[in-house]
Amino acid sequence: MKMGRLYIVGIGPGSKEQRTIKAQEVLEKSNVIIGYNTYLRLISDVLDGKKEVIGARMKEEIFRANTAIEKALESNNTVALVSSGDPQVYGMAGLVYDLIARRNLDLDVEVVPGVTAALAAAARLGSPLSLDFVVISLSDLLIPREEILHKVTKAAEADFVIVFYNLINENLLIEVMDIISKHRKPNTPVGLVKSAYRNNENIIITTLSSWKEYMNEISMSTTMIIGNSLTYRYKNYMITPRGYERKYEL
């Protein structure tokens, strides 16, 4: 019996215009679509009555992954497991592949990449990621707090531009920003982008010394970008030079 096919689809920031052509094609041709309920609402334009749609709540990632695998094992199913942003960046891809490996399954799986939150937020801010940067999740639900603090410390010491995802723990956020403040100037630009490319989008550029003034804008839908020693603000843009000025006359 021929098994079905499983796509792990990154839908980008949320708006249809930010999906890739490949993602749109896969969503349209899939007969089974599985995802977190919020993500399913973002792709309502492809959820016609002919598709089987399976929604799930927050913290039901294992259910979503296992359901997608089981549906794809059925003959002739084309299954799309949706993930916001990109499926590999704190998305569903790693969990699905891990479960497939643990079960020793021979399943046809393809990741469809999407625009991850770091890139979407950076585009709204200007160009803060033009040089080396790191992305760190501040969710300590799966990763020990001490490990997160260690990563932030090393990133700050190395002068990377730092992107924070999953800002769910206010105390942890304050702690990591205090660490960064030990290594960067008070006027270092800090960008906050809430709900990038969605209807309630909000874009703020502040500084390392003033970011706490905008604590009420920080939630799970907010991406934070902290500049490095070269990053500067010009009007409503954050800019991190790549280094052309070191070699060329600008």
Side-chain angles (χ1 to χ4, degrees):
M1 180 178 71
K2 187 180 185 303
M3 290 185 294
R5 182 172 178 80
L6 173 57
Y7 292 95
I8 312 172
V9 184
I11 62 172
S15 65
K16 181 179 179 179
E17 292 75 16
Q18 299 302 319
R19 292 179 212 153
T20 66
I21 294 173
K22 174 73 172 181
Q24 187 69 18
E25 290 175 347
V26 168
L27 292 172
E28 289 175 352
K29 75 178 182 180
S30 296
N31 66 300
V32 180
I33 296 184
I34 301 167
Y36 173 46
N37 290 321
T38 297
Y39 304 159
L40 294 178
R41 287 193 289 272
L42 294 174
I43 59 168
S44 58
D45 58 291
V46 297
L47 303 182
D48 58 43
K50 299 177 182 179
K51 299 181 187 296
E52 180 181 2
V53 180
I54 302 172
R57 296 171 297 180
M58 186 70 77
K59 298 183 181 180
E60 293 183 339
E61 293 87 353
I62 294 176
F63 164 77
R64 278 183 268 157
N66 276 324
T67 302
I69 291 169
E70 292 303 323
K71 288 292 181 179
L73 289 172
E74 297 176 10
S75 178
N76 298 321
N77 272 342
T78 300
V79 181
L81 174 61
V82 298
S83 212
S84 68
D86 182 276
Q88 294 191 83
V89 185
Y90 311 118
M92 295 297 295
L95 177 57
V96 171
Y97 278 110
D98 193 19
L99 290 172
I100 290 172
R102 289 171 182 270
R103 294 172 60 179
N104 195 29
L105 297 174
D106 184 13
L107 184 61
D108 192 2
V109 186
E110 180 180 343
V111 172
V112 180
V115 178
T116 187
L119 302 183
R124 286 311 207 199
L125 292 167
S127 188
L129 305 185
S130 296
L131 200 58
D132 304 320
F133 66 94
V134 297
V135 177
I136 300 174
S137 171
L138 294 188
S139 171
D140 55 354
L141 297 176
L142 300 175
I143 303 298
R145 184 188 193 95
E146 294 74 21
E147 185 175 327
I148 295 172
L149 295 175
H150 176 72
K151 291 177 180 178
V152 171
T153 300
K154 294 304 180 183
E157 289 175 349
D159 200 30
F160 285 108
V161 174
I162 302 173
V163 184
F164 286 141
Y165 281 48
N166 301 322
L167 309 177
I168 62 174
N169 186 324
E170 182 176 314
N171 291 330
L172 179 57
L173 175 59
I174 291 172
E175 194 169 355
V176 300
M177 292 299 280
D178 286 344
I179 290 172
I180 295 170
S181 296
K182 295 175 182 177
H183 300 276
R184 306 209 177 158
K185 295 179 180 179
N187 65 346
T188 300
V190 174
L192 297 167
V193 182
K194 186 176 183 179
S195 301
Y197 293 95
R198 300 183 189 178
N199 292 332
N200 57 337
E201 177 185 77
N202 193 22
I203 302 166
I204 296 167
I205 299 179
T206 180
T207 64
L208 195 53
S209 62
S210 303
W211 72 273
K212 286 183 184 177
E213 297 174 13
Y214 302 95
M215 189 69 81
N216 62 335
E217 291 297 326
I218 297 174
S219 68
M220 273 293 288
S221 61
T222 304
T223 303
M224 176 183 279
I225 301 180
I226 299 99
N228 67 7
S229 61
L230 299 175
T231 305
Y232 65 95
R233 177 176 183 174
Y234 172 70
K235 296 187 177 181
N236 291 322
Y237 305 118
M238 275 179 71
I239 303 168
T240 303
R242 188 177 173 190
Y244 286 103
E245 71 283 354
R246 299 177 182 180
K247 189 172 182 181
Y248 303 101
E249 178 62 47
L250 300 183

